[in-house]
Amino acid sequence: MSTASIIFCIILGAGALYAYRKMGADNRIVETWSKTNGKILNTEVTRATSYVLLMEYEYYVDGVRYQSNHVYRQNPQYGLGYPYDLDKLEFLKSPEVKYDPQNPSDSCLLMYDQTWAFILFLIVGIVLSLFGWIGLLLKIFK
């Protein structure tokens, strides 16, 4: 196994573990937030490599109006399959906005709920990291 392969495995594994940790951390934070009803102001479907829904919404906290575009805590995009049907997206019909009670301008509509993604990032991260570190140890002790 080449040194470049070992380094690639370690970096890719660390990246997958970081993604796993980041998605879980965002969910744990959002679970503690308060909720209020929101109103969708506008939506737009764009296409780069896949179809993505972008939107803006408003909500009120203690009589103060806030506006945001974050579907997830730190991500304004919602991935769509094709053909997409916005009428089937329940969170657009009567959006429940989750907001930070300490900073009501920090908000989102959804939490990451893709268990398969959590499992995939965890397994890929562990396997690649171990593969890289074992390869590095074999190279050192060879």
Side-chain angles (χ1 to χ4, degrees), residues 3-110:
T3 304
S5 301
I6 292 169
I7 292 170
F8 179 75
C9 285
I10 292 171
I11 291 172
L12 197 59
L17 288 173
Y18 175 78
Y20 166 78
R21 181 179 159 94
K22 179 105 177 87
M23 287 172 66
D26 279 352
N27 276 358
R28 285 187 296 279
I29 290 169
V30 172
E31 284 175 347
T32 66
W33 285 1
S34 300
K35 299 173 186 172
T36 188
N37 293 325
K39 177 183 174 188
I40 303 296
L41 300 175
N42 62 52
T43 60
E44 175 187 358
V45 176
T46 63
R47 181 166 188 221
T49 56
S50 62
Y51 290 91
V52 174
L53 173 65
L54 301 172
M55 71 178 75
E56 285 186 291
Y57 56 91
E58 70 177 3
Y59 58 101
Y60 289 85
V61 176
D62 297 328
V64 178
R65 179 183 180 272
Y66 294 92
Q67 189 171 329
S68 180
N69 67 343
H70 282 198
V71 177
Y72 297 101
R73 181 167 179 253
Q74 296 181 0
N75 185 359
Q77 300 180 352
Y78 181 82
L80 298 168
Y82 185 80
Y84 58 86
D85 184 359
L86 297 183
D87 292 332
K88 291 185 179 180
L89 298 177
E90 292 298 320
F91 72 93
L92 292 178
K93 294 177 183 172
S94 57
E96 181 180 69
V97 178
K98 297 155 189 67
Y99 67 91
D100 182 353
Q102 304 301 319
N103 179 16
S105 63
D106 192 5
S107 67
C108 65
L109 294 177
L110 301 174

